[in-house]
């Protein structure tokens, strides 16, 4: 019940295309859903995050769509660029008594071809 | 921009030896975390630390692991007797509040021989 399932494992997109990565969760106590971007040899860097009181959040070319009833959320990268090539992780954490423990998805390796 | 810094970047240790991984969290942050990432796998939570005590830990964080904030700036993870399966990337993270974004360091690659 603590898992976050992420798909696809890998994604190849042409420059200018839209990259879409999906995540699903079971734990209804999750109330914070960040996406992290990780380049080789670096730690995860926060990209964008959403809470369940909104269904969509947009920051520049990055958009999170959130479907509370389906317990799914997704990351859309518009106008994908070669510099976006990285591993993307969705994550979730629960409020209440949690001290911020993040549960991560398996990761998606995104390759954007020029 | 403030950063979480981790040292060393790579640690090679013989099985059975003790290892200490060091982290300097962002200076005004109060919540501290360790995560690990086995090669090719997802990032896994190990432990959270607040107000000088462990607030939450995973089943991975057994008696071989301990954490400490020995002074006002460092946060350490100690593995008492390392095993081959401890080989992984270890990430330290910190946040200002428990519901605020966690900022990660670039990790320490731990290789157990």
């Amino acid at each position: 019940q603590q898992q976050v399932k992420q798909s696809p494992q890998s994604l190849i997109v042409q420059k200018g295309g839209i990259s879409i990565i999906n995540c699903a969760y079971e734990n209804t106590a999750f109330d914070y859903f960040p996406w992290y971007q990780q380049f080789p040899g670096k730690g995860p860097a926060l990209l964008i995050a959403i809470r369940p009181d909104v269904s969509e959040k947009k920051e520049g070319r990055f958009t999170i769509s959130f479907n509370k009833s389906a317990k799914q959320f997704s990351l859309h990268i518009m106008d994908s660029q070669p510099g976006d090539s990285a591993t993307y992780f969705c994550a979730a954490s629960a409020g209440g008594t949690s001290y911020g423990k993040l549960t991560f998805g398996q990761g998606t390796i995104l390759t954007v071809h020029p | 921009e403030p950063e979480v810094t981790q040292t060393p970047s790579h640690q090679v240790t013989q099985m059975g030896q003790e290892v200490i991984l060091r982290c300097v969290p962002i200076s005004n942050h109060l919540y501290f975390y360790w995560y690990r990432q086995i090669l090719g796998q997802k990032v896994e939570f190990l432990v959270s630390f607040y107000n000088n005590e462990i607030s939450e830990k995973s089943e991975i964080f057994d008696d071989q692991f301990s954490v400490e904030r020995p002074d006002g700036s460092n946060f350490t993870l100690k593995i008492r007797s390392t095993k081959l399966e401890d080989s992984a990337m270890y990430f330290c993270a910190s946040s200002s509040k428990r519901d605020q974004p966690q900022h990660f360091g670039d990790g320490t690659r731990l290789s157990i021989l």
Side-chain angles (χ1 to χ4, degrees), chain A residues 4 6 21-25 30-37 44-52 57 59 63-66 73-75 87-94 100-107, chain B residues 35 98-104:
Chain A
V4 176
Q6 183 172 346
I21 305 170
N22 301 297
C23 285
Y25 63 96
F30 286 151
D31 63 358
Y32 174 66
F33 303 90
W35 283 89
Y36 282 84
Q37 179 188 57
L46 180 67
L47 198 58
I48 187 173
I50 198 168
R51 295 192 186 275
K57 183 174 181 180
E59 289 183 2
T63 300
I64 299 179
S65 296
F66 183 80
F73 57 110
S74 60
L75 176 69
T87 300
Y88 292 80
F89 291 97
C90 64
S93 70
K101 166 189 170 183
L102 287 171
T103 299
F104 282 84
Q106 292 284 355
Chain B
Y35 293 83
R98 68 184 188 187
D99 61 349
Q100 291 299 304
Q102 291 178 30
H103 297 263
F104 283 73

Side-chain angles (χ1 to χ4, degrees), chain B residues 24-57:
Chain B
V24 179
I26 294 173
S27 63
N28 62 343
H29 284 187
L30 302 175
Y31 293 81
F32 313 111
Y33 308 86
W34 284 101
Y35 293 83
R36 79 171 186 190
Q37 185 179 30
I38 295 171
L39 186 64
Q41 298 187 22
K42 67 178 180 180
V43 178
E44 298 175 290
F45 170 80
L46 290 178
V47 66
S48 59
F49 191 86
Y50 170 71
N51 200 26
N52 279 319
E53 60 183 23
I54 291 173
S55 46
E56 195 171 4
K57 61 182 181 180

Side-chain angles (χ1 to χ4, degrees), chain A residues 10-63:
Chain A
S10 62
L11 181 61
I12 298 174
V13 172
Q14 292 296 318
K15 179 182 175 182
I18 302 173
S19 304
I20 302 174
I21 305 170
N22 301 297
C23 285
Y25 63 96
E26 290 293 324
N27 186 354
T28 54
F30 286 151
D31 63 358
Y32 174 66
F33 303 90
W35 283 89
Y36 282 84
Q37 179 188 57
Q38 185 181 31
F39 292 105
K42 294 290 189 179
L46 180 67
L47 198 58
I48 187 173
I50 198 168
R51 295 192 186 275
D53 51 344
V54 297
S55 60
E56 186 175 283
K57 183 174 181 180
K58 183 176 181 180
E59 289 183 2
R61 295 184 294 109
F62 302 92
T63 300

Side-chain angles (χ1 to χ4, degrees), chain A residues 62-89:
Chain A
F62 302 92
T63 300
I64 299 179
S65 296
F66 183 80
N67 185 330
K68 188 173 181 178
S69 60
K71 293 188 289 220
Q72 295 175 347
F73 57 110
S74 60
L75 176 69
H76 296 233
I77 305 174
M78 311 300 287
D79 187 27
S80 299
Q81 299 296 313
D84 296 331
S85 298
T87 300
Y88 292 80
F89 291 97

